[in-house]
Amino acid sequence: MLINCVVYQNGTKLADIPVSEISEYLSHPDAFVWVALRDATPEELEEMQREFDLHELAVEDSRHGHQRPKIEEYGASLFSVLQLVEPVPDHPGELNIGEVDVFTGSNYVLSVRNRSQKGFLGVRARCEGEPELLRHGSGFVLYALMDAVVDRYFPIIDQLETELETIERDIFSKGSARSNIERLYELKGRVMVLKHAVAPLLEAASKLYGGRVPHMCAGVQEYFRDVVDHLTRINAQIDNMRDTIGTAIQVNLAMVTIGESEVTKRLAAWASIFAVCTAFAGIWGMNFESMPELKWRYGYLMALGLIVVACSLLYWRFKRARWL
């Protein structure tokens, strides 16, 4: 569905125009057309392909969706794929993966947003509020869209880091080993979702500043460098989180091993105590007629007392060694 179709000239908004008039304004000097679509149908994409003369391969990628983040050149135009990572309001802890495809030429910008509820009206308002920058044309709009997408990653990674800190505190709580492992692996999955959105985009965006860059980005290279700096920072945070999660999993498994060792020691201590009882009972339970203790009046009491004393000494020793 069509969200906006606006023509700009010399950094200021000229008019909202219908799609059928796009080709007329593309020939105006110092003007460019900015079109925004949401969940575009194949028919809408075909219409935009005719109006902007888009490359067939780029349109095909946008039609199929679920693309890896990338920035590709097709002649004098750019095709950019950015992944939108958003929390699901009704399901805390889950992440929705959307996508925005941006077609950028010298005199047009076409953004196609898919599987995402959060739009880019704020980006348009920001650009219109900075006409001196909007004069750079479609290159600045591409930067503004990329910057908005990257800025949305920061709250996600802050949320993931907070959750990781909570799990780390719970690792040393008794009886939480299984739940901690499940939470850590679930968190690891969400971290990887963000990694798959950030790492390819970092590699692709690095081509938009320094050295040879597409002509529409020539005047805004420092802005793309700022985006790359943000992506580098996020990527480093993700790598640190992955390392921390791996360490937390190892610590949690170590705590499980320690817990099992404690149980083993307790069982061994009680087995030793009962072994003493069994040994004494076995000695006096032998069927020999000439055992002197069998005819003694206080032999039974002595045997019970000896067993109690021996078991008490063992209990005290194991208690002192913290086996019980």
Side-chain angles (χ1 to χ4, degrees), residues 5-309:
C5 184
V6 184
V7 60
Y8 297 87
Q9 189 170 23
N10 293 321
T12 58
K13 180 178 178 179
L14 194 61
D16 291 287
I17 61 173
V19 174
S20 58
E21 297 181 9
I22 289 178
S23 55
E24 300 178 12
Y25 284 93
L26 291 179
S27 59
H28 286 204
D30 301 322
F32 72 93
V33 178
W34 182 358
V35 180
L37 299 177
R38 173 188 173 188
D39 297 321
T41 63
E43 292 75 17
E44 289 175 322
L45 288 176
E46 289 177 5
E47 184 178 16
M48 292 300 165
Q49 182 179 3
R50 291 192 299 270
E51 293 292 334
F52 293 117
D53 192 24
L54 304 176
H55 197 280
E56 175 61 30
L57 292 178
V59 175
E60 182 180 356
D61 284 347
S62 181
R63 184 184 298 115
H64 293 162
H66 301 282
Q67 298 293 313
R68 184 175 185 264
K70 61 183 179 179
I71 298 177
E72 297 177 336
E73 288 189 66
Y74 290 95
S77 64
L78 280 180
F79 174 62
S80 308
V81 178
L82 314 175
Q83 285 191 354
L84 304 172
V85 183
E86 304 168 349
V88 181
D90 298 333
H91 299 83
E94 293 187 15
L95 295 177
N96 176 63
I97 311 302
E99 182 179 305
V100 57
D101 303 325
V102 185
F103 301 84
T104 311
S106 59
N107 54 357
Y108 69 86
V109 176
L110 169 63
S111 63
V112 183
R113 176 167 53 95
N114 297 305
R115 306 183 308 279
S116 174
Q117 298 299 320
K118 191 174 181 180
F120 291 99
L121 294 178
V123 176
R124 188 179 293 273
R126 171 194 173 184
C127 292
E128 293 178 353
E130 298 176 314
E132 68 282 358
L133 296 177
L134 194 57
R135 286 192 181 96
H136 291 288
S138 57
F140 179 74
V141 175
L142 175 61
Y143 151 74
L145 289 170
M146 290 182 61
D147 188 54
V149 171
V150 173
D151 284 346
R152 295 180 186 181
Y153 294 154
F154 283 105
I156 301 296
I157 198 167
D158 289 342
Q159 177 186 347
L160 296 177
E161 287 179 336
T162 300
E163 185 174 347
L164 178 57
E165 292 172 357
T166 302
I167 297 175
E168 285 184 299
R169 288 194 298 267
D170 294 341
I171 284 179
F172 300 99
S173 300
K174 292 184 178 180
S176 61
R178 182 182 181 87
S179 63
N180 287 337
I181 286 290
E182 292 176 352
R183 292 163 65 190
L184 284 169
Y185 270 95
E186 182 183 354
L187 179 62
K188 183 179 181 181
R190 279 179 281 152
V191 170
M192 291 307 300
V193 167
L194 192 59
K195 177 71 173 181
H196 293 157
V198 171
L201 183 59
L202 173 59
E203 179 183 354
S206 300
K207 304 175 184 177
L208 300 182
Y209 78 93
R212 178 196 170 278
V213 297
H215 66 91
M216 73 281 295
C217 304
V220 289
Q221 292 188 54
E222 61 273 18
Y223 293 97
F224 286 109
R225 184 173 62 244
D226 182 65
V227 171
V228 171
D229 288 342
H230 288 172
L231 287 170
T232 302
R233 173 186 166 190
I234 294 173
N235 192 58
Q237 288 180 274
I238 291 174
D239 289 338
N240 289 336
M241 285 187 64
R242 292 175 65 189
D243 293 340
T244 304
I245 290 173
T247 302
I249 290 174
Q250 294 301 319
V251 171
N252 194 76
L253 294 176
M255 293 300 298
V256 172
T257 303
I258 292 173
E260 292 176 349
S261 176
E262 293 292 331
V263 173
T264 301
K265 288 192 295 185
R266 290 191 181 93
L267 292 175
W270 285 113
S272 299
I273 292 173
F274 283 107
V276 171
C277 300
T278 304
F280 283 122
I283 291 172
W284 286 305
M286 293 187 293
N287 298 320
F288 291 108
E289 295 184 0
S290 58
M291 291 180 67
E293 297 88 350
L294 295 179
K295 305 298 182 179
W296 188 31
R297 180 179 179 183
Y298 299 104
Y300 177 69
L301 294 178
M302 182 206 69
L304 289 180
L306 187 59
I307 291 174
V308 170
V309 170

